Amino acid sequence: MAEPASTITSYHAHIYWSSPAERERALAVREGIAVRFVVQLGTIHDRNVGPHPRSMYQVAFTPDVFPGLVPWLLLNRQELSVLIHPNTGRARDDHLLHAAWLGAPLRLNADTLPNSLEDGGGVSPVVPNTNPGSNGG
Ligand code: ZN
């Protein structure tokens, strides 16, 4: 039985870095996203958080943004590892089974990932904090 894509309420892209030079490129990618897409840019984490094995930031976006943002990342990820995962409320499956990697995949820390809404796998709504077009695009 196929699972309908309508169970996906939003997506995350996680952009990773592991050196000062990569961090600089990651922030350039972030700026490129900010001026083009209506997304929620997350905190810049200069340490490992949750299942993420490297420094990273998160980009949360609604399904309508996917066909613009993901091809842009394919072309402009600056050789960084990028995780794209759906949010269905089952964090473990979302990150481990249903995710896509751009560039070199990393091994996530699965122990931190609950797999049901009851376990805290609930999905936060996307609250966009970018303002594309304001900066010349
Ligand atoms: Zn995520």
Side-chain angles (χ1 to χ4, degrees), residues 12 14 58 85 95:
H12 289 168
H14 293 271
Q58 168 186 293
H85 70 79
H95 287 78

Side-chain angles (χ1 to χ4, degrees), residues 5 42-43 48 53 60 68 71 79 95 99 107:
T43 304
N48 302 353
E79 300 179 48
H95 287 78
R107 183 181 297 277

